[in-house]
């Protein structure tokens, strides 16, 4: 049985990197990937789709799962547009979030469902997040992540929240997400997963991580 990790609504592949480096087969699913040609980069498979279209590959045992459902219609940063967008946009966002959480749950692996601060926590059956973090909380794992972006995590299947590892020698974290310039790549820049947090999550949730670190596979 092949060990695999699943990352839904994942374009960048950042979140998958620690698992891929440790030899775990990673599936990054996003509608921005080619629908006709799957791309393989090392141990990371980039495949088209979202949580509603993904079909569980045979012969795999999932060891981790994550869902990064689109936040455009639920993030607090866009609250001024909620009235104009109306309930249909909210419905779409909820459908993608719920589909992601359902798929993550059936993997049986520790999982997270990630979104920035917004209206999801006010939905009764979703409720408040299990954890919050800023990327700068884990800049000790990746110095490029010394920035603020309050992020919510809904977790399950025994996910262990990693202890913070900031990088105080870098000085105060910056506000690059809020100040990102308009442009075609702005949404992907703002939603890219912070590598530092996922390195920390890997070490707290992958049982072989200590052995992999000892032989230099994970860092």
């Amino acid at each position: 049985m092949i060990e695999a990790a699943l990352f839904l609504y994942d374009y960048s592949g950042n979140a998958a990197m620690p698992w891929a480096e440790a030899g775990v087969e990673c599936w990054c699913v996003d509608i921005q990937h080619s629908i006709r040609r799957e791309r393989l980069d090392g141990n990371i498979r980039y495949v088209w789709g979202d949580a509603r279209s993904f079909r569980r590959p045979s012969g795999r045992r999932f060891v981790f799962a994550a869902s990064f459902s689109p936040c455009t219609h639920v993030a607090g940063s866009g609250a001024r547009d909620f009235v104009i967008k109306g309930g249909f946009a909210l419905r779409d966002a909820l459908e993608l979030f719920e589909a992601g959480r359902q798929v993550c749950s059936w993997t049986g692996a520790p999982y997270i469902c990630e979104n920035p601060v917004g209206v999801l926590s006010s939905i009764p059956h979703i409720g408040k997040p299990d954890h919050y973090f800023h990327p700068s909380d884990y800049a000790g794992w990746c110095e490029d992540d010394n920035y603020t972006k309050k992020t919510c995590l809904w977790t399950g299947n025994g996910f262990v929240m990693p202890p913070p590892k900031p990088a105080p020698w870098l000085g105060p974290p910056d506000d690059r997400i809020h100040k990102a310039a308009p442009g075609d790549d702005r949404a992907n820049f703002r939603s890219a997963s912070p590598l530092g947090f996922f390195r920390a999550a890997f070490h707290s949730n992958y049982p072989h991580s200590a052995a992999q670190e000892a032989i230099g596979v994970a860092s």
Side-chain angles (χ1 to χ4, degrees), residues 56-136:
R56 183 170 190 154
S58 61
R60 270 72 177 175
R61 180 178 67 85
F62 283 96
V63 296
F64 187 76
S67 175
F68 309 96
S69 57
C71 65
T72 306
H73 305 316
V74 290
S77 58
R80 63 182 179 179
D81 301 320
F82 287 167
V83 173
I84 297 173
K85 290 179 177 181
F88 291 113
L90 176 60
R91 178 203 62 191
D92 292 345
L94 290 176
E95 179 178 333
L96 294 175
F97 177 87
E98 291 288 23
R101 184 160 66 168
Q102 178 172 295
V103 172
C104 286
S105 180
W106 64 237
T107 67
Y111 73 83
I112 66 167
C113 294
E114 181 261 18
N115 236 253
V117 173
V119 302
L120 288 178
S121 61
S122 67
I123 307 299
H125 68 282
I126 295 177
K128 293 186 179 299
D130 297 298
H131 305 282
Y132 298 94
F133 77 94
H134 287 281
S136 58

Side-chain angles (χ1 to χ4, degrees), residues 134-140 142-148 165-176:
H134 287 281
S136 58
D137 295 340
Y138 298 93
C142 177
E143 293 187 352
D144 289 341
D145 290 346
N146 195 38
Y147 64 93
T148 58
K165 187 179 179 181
W169 59 88
L170 297 176
D174 63 63
D175 192 20
R176 71 188 73 164

Side-chain angles (χ1 to χ4, degrees), residues 21-34:
E21 291 168 356
V24 176
E25 182 185 79
C26 297
W27 294 71
C28 290
V29 184
D30 194 89
I31 60 172
Q32 295 183 84
H33 302 317
S34 173

Side-chain angles (χ1 to χ4, degrees), residues 38 89 100 103 114 201 204 209:
E38 177 183 307
V103 172
E114 181 261 18
S204 292
S209 61

Side-chain angles (χ1 to χ4, degrees), residues 6-16 26-41 44-51 53-54 66 68 188 191-193:
L6 176 63
F7 303 88
L8 297 167
Y9 316 104
D10 189 345
Y11 176 69
S12 72
N14 283 358
C26 297
W27 294 71
C28 290
V29 184
D30 194 89
I31 60 172
Q32 295 183 84
H33 302 317
S34 173
I35 193 172
R36 296 184 177 178
R37 180 173 297 178
E38 177 183 307
R39 178 166 64 93
L40 183 63
D41 183 3
I44 303 178
R45 295 179 177 272
Y46 295 92
V47 300
W48 179 91
D50 62 28
S53 64
F54 183 74
F68 309 96
N188 284 331
S191 63
S193 300

